[in-house]
Amino acid sequence: MSSIELLTNKEYKYGFVTDIESDMIPRGLSEDTIRLISAKKNEPEFMLEFRLKAYRNWLKMEEPQHWPNITYPKVDYQDIIYYSAPKQKATKASMDEVDPELIKTFEKLGIPLTEQKMLAGVAVDAVFDSVSVATTYKAKLKQHGVIFCSFSEAVLEYPELIKKYLGTVVPTNDNYFAALNSAVFTDGSFVFIPKGVHCPMELSTYFRINNSESGQFERTLIIAEEGAHVSYLEGCTAPKFDKNQLHAAVVELVALDDAEIKYSTVQNWYAGDEEGKGGIYNFVTKRGACRGRNSKISWTQVETGSAITWKYPSCILQGDNSIGEFYSVALTNHAQQADTGTKMIHIGKNTRSNIVSKGISAGKSNNSYRGLVKVLAGAEGARNYTQCDSLLIGDKCGANTFPYIEVSNNTAKVEHEATTSRISEEQLFYLRQRGISQEDAVSLIINGFCKDVFRELPMEFAVEAQRLLGMKLEGSVG
Amino acid sequence: MLEIRDLHARVEGKDILRGVSLTVKRGEVHAIMGPNGSGKSTLAKVLAGHPSYEVTSGEVLFDGKNLLELEPDERAREGVFLAFQYPVEIPGVSNAQFLRLAYNEKRKHLGEEELDPLEFKDLLKERAQIVEMDAGLMSRSVNEGFSGGEKKRNEILQMAVLEPKLAVLDETDSGLDIDALRIVSEGVNKLRHADNAIVLVTHYQRLLNYIVPDYVHVLYKGRIVRSGGKELALALEEKGYDWIKDEAEESQPSAASA
């Protein structure tokens, strides 16, 4: 007798802990905590105000535990350490001054930071727990007028830009986790591409959570001025801990006239063990504003990790003819839960959006797509096309699709297609009969299923994503 | 090359094969015929190692190796090929990509160097001529949107690429019009040589007009009840399966009552 049954996942290879001395503040959250974080970062007054306002909003808000298709015990926000930074020199003249232990950590993760070994063509900002520890190619990018630095540095060096754009896409009272992030965020990346510049290399941020007691609350802000183009990638991993850690990030993108931002994510946070013990709660708010005419924002995400994912990268299509895209692969295995999707808000005329979501569920996991397409009254000629496909592996997992469509302009065209399928025994047998191993066969089927999304990823990332999916599902079909 | 001894197999708790014995030598073509439900396709799937079929007793030796101990992909790499009666679709995976992966698995197994996409493209182009296959089908997803005839031709193309020692063709003629049947059969004939063997599983004699077998076996209720030369197929065509059934019931009453 045969059946598709679930076996174990391959060992999570990023699960190691770096032994490094950290500068931590006591656990718990209060206005004092926020003042302490702000003081540690020598922030200007306006930042502290921003944080406190967010915190006061947050206190009045309710955790969104009911509407998403996820369940978890209540998070004790007083039991988290909100600031944990590896002890090192505050300012680093060169990479040589970065703690070798940190360099080693990132090297182990495949992200070399030293001048000799840096990845060609990709500038990297490395974030470790609460702070950015290094950013490569900063000087080279500066020659093109491109600013790429840690968020903390941007607050000190470019306060006018921060003041002008921070919180304009995701307001501090937007939602529970965004408000929390706005109050306590500690670092992240800042990107500014001036008018007419096509960023000469890929920019990327690598997020690493190391401390078992701290959460990671990072903030990313990317601004593309008129006619500017940029492609940005982010990757994330964390050690294996039995305890859950909270990752509540906010990403804001702003695209002015004719600007284009491509934002790609490969998320591989620790997912917890097979029974669902440990793992990251990935509660993230990502939103892009296509403010200018003919602007374009494209989100591509490959979500494979985290115990729980709650994330809806969205586009506000304000400029006429602007384009929003969302390409997503979300994979859940074992006890993982994901409630993810997008929001496309059509405001300008002839705005277009394209959504391609591929959900893969294995084990006893639960994978939901939740998407909103909203066409406002003024959005003459708006177009949306949505395709949601779910692939089930085994019979103990779940897949759901929750599409919300609100259209207030009768010239708009909105299309939604959804399919659910299973990897069949017959497909596997067919491939194996041709000499392809069971694991390669699963990987081939999965990659075929995800093809429409993978082709949107930058080359190296696509290869990485394919490998990652294969690894995550290794042994899950037997 | 292939030695099947007293093979018993079941699917979903039901006994289908009840003692099949068959010897196939290099260079031979054997046809397995029989009425519907006699176990023809089961035999093909058991040889390939389909996980839904359980072998309850008997043995199968392939070049002296115990075939039943091997995983389906290992059997394939050893040179056992099954042309499927109903080839499945693999969305998003191009035919060329799939074939190259399969081909390279075989090369790796033989300790040979893998072919890169360009080298493989040349090979594929050459082999595609054997079944008069359109180049456009190579970049399409495996079997997706293929007509019945294209699917069957694609199976024979895979055989041409993988060059198996033993090819089991499961009802390759079903669903083919006369032109497609000719193309597929001619393709198989081109691939037939002194070093390989072919087992044709078919319900009808008409395929055997094109691919002439050395031996014909009739499977009925899970046993080979009669073997002969190609003239046996003609006799079946003329008289149908009833006389075989009657004969079998007489000589093996236990099978009839089972």
Side-chain angles (χ1 to χ4, degrees):
Chain A
M1 285 305 288
S2 80
S3 63
I4 291 181
E5 59 188 29
L6 307 153
L7 302 171
T8 51
N9 199 341
K10 196 176 186 180
E11 193 73 357
Y12 181 67
K13 72 171 191 178
Y14 308 102
F16 64 91
V17 184
T18 306
D19 188 13
I20 196 161
E21 213 186 322
S22 291
D23 171 16
M24 285 188 277
I25 63 171
R27 64 183 75 224
L29 180 56
S30 65
E31 290 207 2
D32 288 343
T33 319
I34 291 162
R35 285 177 205 280
L36 187 56
I37 292 170
S38 193
K40 275 197 172 290
K41 308 188 87 61
N42 297 315
E43 286 179 349
E45 188 62 24
F46 82 90
M47 276 307 309
L48 179 61
E49 288 307 316
F50 178 89
R51 290 173 180 282
L52 290 172
K53 192 176 140 201
Y55 177 66
R56 286 163 199 152
N57 278 326
W58 180 73
L59 288 175
K60 287 179 265 170
M61 295 169 94
E62 218 174 293
E63 194 165 338
Q65 277 198 304
H66 303 296
W67 61 262
N69 197 19
I70 53 178
T71 50
Y72 58 96
K74 219 167 162 39
V75 176
D76 182 356
Y77 292 93
Q78 297 305 334
D79 194 36
I80 294 171
I81 293 171
Y82 287 87
Y83 184 88
S84 165
K87 276 192 179 147
Q88 58 172 350
K89 284 178 197 160
T91 52
K92 303 163 292 268
S94 80
M95 220 50 84
D96 303 338
E97 292 174 37
V98 177
D99 190 320
E101 206 48 48
L102 290 174
I103 303 250
K104 250 200 299 191
T105 299
F106 281 97
E107 221 154 81
K108 222 167 146 182
L109 298 169
I111 315 290
L113 299 172
T114 51
E115 298 282 343
Q116 310 87 316
K117 293 184 189 162
M118 283 191 303
L119 303 168
V122 184
V124 180
D125 184 23
V127 178
F128 190 90
D129 286 337
S130 302
V131 293
S132 162
V133 293
T135 311
T136 63
Y137 291 115
K138 244 159 62 174
K140 192 181 170 205
L141 289 166
K142 201 68 205 287
Q143 289 169 10
H144 293 83
V146 172
I147 301 170
F148 179 44
C149 63
S150 73
F151 204 90
S152 309
E153 192 179 325
V155 168
L156 300 177
E157 302 282 325
Y158 313 100
E160 291 312 311
L161 285 173
I162 299 291
K163 228 188 232 172
K164 186 170 171 190
Y165 290 106
L166 181 68
T168 63
V169 186
V170 179
T172 54
N173 61 353
D174 187 82
N175 68 68
Y176 190 79
F177 299 115
L180 176 66
N181 171 284
S182 302
V184 302
F185 73 86
T186 44
D187 217 334
S189 300
F190 176 75
V191 175
F192 176 81
I193 317 287
K195 199 168 170 172
V197 172
H198 287 208
C199 188
M201 51 171 72
E202 304 265 357
L203 305 183
S204 84
T205 304
Y206 196 92
F207 295 100
R208 175 75 178 169
I209 297 179
N210 190 61
N211 189 325
S212 68
E213 304 297 316
S214 69
Q216 191 171 58
F217 305 93
E218 89 272 3
R219 190 98 194 178
T220 300
L221 175 58
I222 299 177
I223 299 147
E225 282 197 330
E226 291 83 352
H229 283 215
V230 62
S231 168
Y232 176 93
L233 328 167
E234 74 178 350
C236 350
T237 58
K240 292 164 78 160
F241 292 123
D242 284 348
K243 205 177 147 174
N244 297 103
Q245 291 131 286
L246 180 61
H247 172 254
V250 171
V251 175
E252 295 178 281
L253 313 181
V254 177
L256 303 184
D257 285 356
D258 305 301
E260 220 177 294
I261 302 174
K262 185 171 170 60
Y263 193 107
S264 313
T265 304
V266 173
Q267 186 263 106
N268 187 21
W269 294 118
Y270 178 53
D273 69 8
E274 279 163 56
E275 273 72 51
K277 195 168 187 196
I280 303 283
Y281 290 167
N282 191 34
F283 299 155
V284 169
T285 305
K286 291 184 169 178
R287 195 173 302 156
C290 283
R291 294 223 171 120
R293 293 175 59 86
N294 311 318
S295 55
K296 178 175 172 184
I297 289 178
S298 177
W299 298 100
T300 305
Q301 60 170 23
V302 177
E303 301 282 323
T304 66
S306 299
I308 304 177
T309 297
W310 178 96
K311 177 183 169 187
Y312 315 90
S314 307
C315 296
I316 299 168
L317 304 169
Q318 199 177 338
D320 290 348
N321 313 320
S322 59
I323 299 173
E325 295 176 333
F326 175 74
Y327 301 100
S328 168
V329 167
L331 178 148
T332 55
N333 197 357
H334 303 310
Q336 281 178 276
Q337 307 175 60
D339 192 295
T340 183
T342 185
K343 287 188 272 185
M344 293 290 175
I345 314 295
H346 293 256
I347 301 170
K349 292 190 178 69
N350 300 315
T351 46
R352 280 178 286 154
S353 62
N354 196 19
I355 299 171
V356 178
S357 162
K358 305 277 181 177
I360 303 160
S361 332
K364 48 182 193 287
S365 68
N366 207 345
N367 199 332
S368 301
Y369 167 82
R370 188 181 302 276
L372 168 69
V373 176
K374 188 170 182 162
V375 178
L376 274 65
E380 281 297 305
R383 297 269 179 282
N384 161 266
Y385 174 73
T386 301
Q387 190 190 332
C388 282
D389 299 322
S390 305
L391 186 68
L392 303 173
I393 302 174
D395 52 13
K396 294 182 193 74
C397 53
N400 296 285
T401 303
F402 303 103
Y404 303 86
I405 299 170
E406 297 171 21
V407 179
S408 312
N409 183 305
N410 57 17
T411 64
K413 245 190 187 164
V414 176
E415 287 174 76
H416 181 97
E417 283 180 33
T419 66
T420 301
S421 54
R422 240 170 234 289
I423 288 192
S424 73
E425 203 78 64
E426 294 305 320
Q427 281 176 322
L428 284 176
F429 178 60
Y430 188 74
L431 296 174
R432 296 185 73 190
Q433 211 303 303
R434 299 306 184 240
I436 298 167
S437 70
Q438 169 95 345
E439 276 163 13
D440 288 347
V442 171
S443 165
L444 195 66
I445 294 168
I446 298 281
N447 284 315
F449 176 73
C450 299
K451 195 177 75 176
D452 295 345
V453 174
F454 285 167
R455 69 169 171 228
E456 298 297 327
L457 284 172
M459 192 57 170
E460 320 78 71
F461 251 41
V463 173
E464 169 70 16
Q466 290 193 15
R467 203 187 51 77
L468 189 60
L469 286 196
M471 205 175 83
K472 283 272 164 178
L473 284 172
E474 199 150 292
S476 62
V477 185
Chain B
M1 173 190 281
L2 180 71
E3 179 100 38
I4 304 172
R5 291 183 194 146
D6 196 27
L7 186 65
H8 288 71
R10 52 163 63 186
V11 62
E12 287 164 3
K14 210 174 139 196
D15 294 320
I16 307 288
L17 299 185
R18 302 150 184 260
V20 173
S21 297
L22 178 68
T23 303
V24 178
K25 296 199 180 74
R26 234 165 266 283
E28 291 178 350
V29 174
H30 290 243
I32 311 277
M33 301 185 69
N36 289 331
S38 59
K40 302 188 297 290
S41 282
T42 296
L43 178 61
K45 284 178 172 152
V46 167
L47 291 177
H50 193 293
S52 301
Y53 295 80
E54 186 195 352
V55 173
T56 48
S57 70
E59 60 179 350
V60 180
L61 297 176
F62 181 66
D63 277 345
K65 277 186 197 151
N66 181 353
L67 197 65
L68 302 178
E69 271 179 1
L70 303 179
E71 290 294 316
D73 45 313
E74 292 171 325
R75 298 183 195 195
R77 292 193 292 267
E78 286 294 329
V80 176
F81 178 88
L82 171 64
F84 285 72
Q85 183 178 6
Y86 304 109
V88 295
E89 300 178 358
I90 319 277
V93 177
S94 82
N95 220 11
Q97 179 192 4
F98 157 61
L99 279 167
R100 188 169 74 89
L101 184 62
Y103 183 73
N104 280 336
E105 285 299 329
K106 188 195 149 192
R107 304 224 1 150
K108 263 196 286 187
H109 182 71
L110 296 173
E112 293 168 12
E113 210 153 297
E114 296 179 38
L115 292 195
D116 66 35
L118 283 177
E119 292 169 322
F120 183 71
K121 203 178 161 190
D122 292 340
L123 177 112
L124 191 54
K125 210 172 142 187
E126 175 212 312
R127 303 289 157 90
Q129 289 168 359
I130 295 176
V131 281
E132 300 177 29
M133 191 105 152
D134 185 34
L137 291 178
M138 302 306 159
S139 51
R140 294 234 311 258
S141 293
V142 179
N143 294 323
E144 202 178 38
F146 284 29
S147 70
E150 284 169 341
K151 281 184 183 170
K152 294 296 174 78
R153 267 196 260 179
N154 203 23
E155 293 296 293
I156 304 306
L157 169 64
Q158 292 171 41
M159 176 179 163
V161 168
L162 297 173
E163 299 179 301
K165 291 184 203 156
L166 172 70
V168 180
L169 313 187
D170 189 6
E171 307 261 0
T172 293
D173 52 331
S174 70
L176 291 184
D177 62 31
I178 200 77
D179 289 328
L181 180 65
R182 181 186 51 79
I183 293 168
V184 165
S185 307
E186 282 174 4
V188 173
N189 284 331
K190 283 177 205 156
L191 297 170
R192 174 178 184 175
H193 54 77
D195 276 336
N196 62 13
I198 296 171
V199 173
L200 300 168
V201 170
T202 181
H203 184 78
Y204 297 106
Q205 191 269 339
R206 72 169 185 167
L207 176 70
L208 308 181
N209 290 334
Y210 294 90
I211 308 171
V212 182
D214 301 303
Y215 301 95
V216 174
H217 311 275
V218 180
L219 197 62
Y220 178 62
K221 289 195 172 167
R223 285 194 189 93
I224 289 178
V225 293
R226 192 175 257 262
S227 295
K230 60 185 182 222
E231 64 289 339
L232 175 57
L234 292 169
L236 287 171
E237 175 80 355
E238 205 181 304
K239 302 196 251 175
Y241 283 108
D242 285 348
W243 62 281
I244 297 271
K245 289 183 190 171
D246 295 342
E247 233 179 61
E249 308 281 321
E250 272 165 38
S251 65
Q252 290 171 343
S254 61
S257 61

